[in-house]
Amino acid sequence: MPVSSSRAASPGSITIGYGVVKAAERPFYPLASGLAAVVLFLWMGGALEWTVHPRIDARWFAHEAIFGVLAAVFTGFLYKSARDWMALDPLRSIWPVATGLVWLAGRGAMLAAPHPALAAIDCAFLFLAPLPFYRVLKRSRMSKHVVLVDLLCLLALLNFLYHAAILGLSPLAPGALVGAAALVSVVLAIACARHGGADRQRAAAAVVQSRRSDS
């Protein structure tokens, strides 16, 4: 795969081939969109008694909306941001495939696996997903974006506590943990928009300044 980029890398960064990072972000947006449609269909089917599954209830719907759909969207955004903000490779090409498979396994486990097994599979995705983006941040020395990793890790912790509560290992209420995760997701979405918008404005200003210098 060619190791080149039409973008100018920021100081201390490494330019990479466009296709490598596209492979990193590509699986998660379609996966999130597909799951959103499936979750909505199953939820409506259960409400209308078209389909009957013992695990499809309000708690399952809330969990999959946050820890399934939104978690995949945030992961895709972070991987894409490595190219947009830092022009660095966020991960090796096998990583998005592996994490995508873990994510899919977690979705299936939520409907079919015994709870101890599904807890381990479901929690694995959110613990693994932030690692390559954190590595990129460390290499690029852009510590201002670490808050995005921290919020995603907080989401992972809440998912772990949710499953611990379901298994009777925690006195916390699962519903309260899902509510806290929803709040963290809102904060994370705002943070992603703010960090992404600020960097785009700085990049646009740099382009304008460069054109003025050339003229």
Side-chain angles (χ1 to χ4, degrees):
M1 183 173 292
V3 186
S4 61
S5 176
S6 59
R7 295 176 179 265
S10 56
S13 67
I14 302 173
T15 57
I16 56 169
Y18 179 79
V20 174
V21 186
K22 288 300 290 181
E25 69 195 62
R26 189 177 295 121
F28 296 102
Y29 294 144
L31 286 174
S33 300
L35 178 64
V38 169
V39 167
L40 183 59
F41 174 80
L42 290 177
W43 173 250
M44 291 180 62
L48 297 174
E49 298 184 351
W50 294 341
T51 59
V52 178
H53 193 288
R55 293 189 181 179
I56 297 178
D57 54 15
R59 190 167 62 187
W60 171 86
F61 179 81
H63 179 278
E64 290 302 277
I66 296 171
F67 298 111
V69 175
L70 291 181
V73 170
F74 291 138
T75 300
F77 176 84
L78 292 183
Y79 289 171
K80 180 178 184 295
S81 298
R83 170 173 56 85
D84 292 344
W85 298 345
M86 294 162 279
L88 284 171
D89 181 359
L91 66 175
R92 297 184 184 278
S93 58
I94 192 61
W95 193 273
V97 176
T99 52
L101 289 175
V102 171
W103 183 89
L104 284 172
R107 311 289 56 83
M110 286 295 297
L111 290 174
H115 210 101
L118 81 83
I121 298 170
D122 185 47
C123 289
F125 172 74
L126 275 173
F127 283 119
L128 293 173
L131 295 180
F133 187 72
Y134 176 76
R135 179 175 61 86
V136 165
L137 290 178
K138 186 175 180 181
R139 287 169 57 194
S140 64
R141 300 179 182 178
M142 297 184 70
S143 58
K144 63 181 179 178
H145 295 310
V146 171
V147 64
L148 301 178
V149 178
D150 293 339
L151 288 169
L152 196 59
C153 289
L154 180 56
L155 207 59
L157 176 61
L158 289 170
N159 192 31
F160 174 80
L161 292 175
Y162 169 88
H163 287 292
I166 296 294
L167 290 169
L169 302 177
S170 169
L172 299 174
L177 291 167
V178 171
L183 180 59
V184 171
S185 297
V186 171
V187 175
L188 181 52
I190 294 172
C192 287
R194 181 179 179 183
H195 282 245
D199 278 356
R200 282 193 295 270
Q201 289 176 0
R202 280 191 289 269
V207 171
V208 171
Q209 183 63 34
S210 175
R211 289 176 179 175
R212 288 176 179 175
S213 299
D214 295 338
S215 61

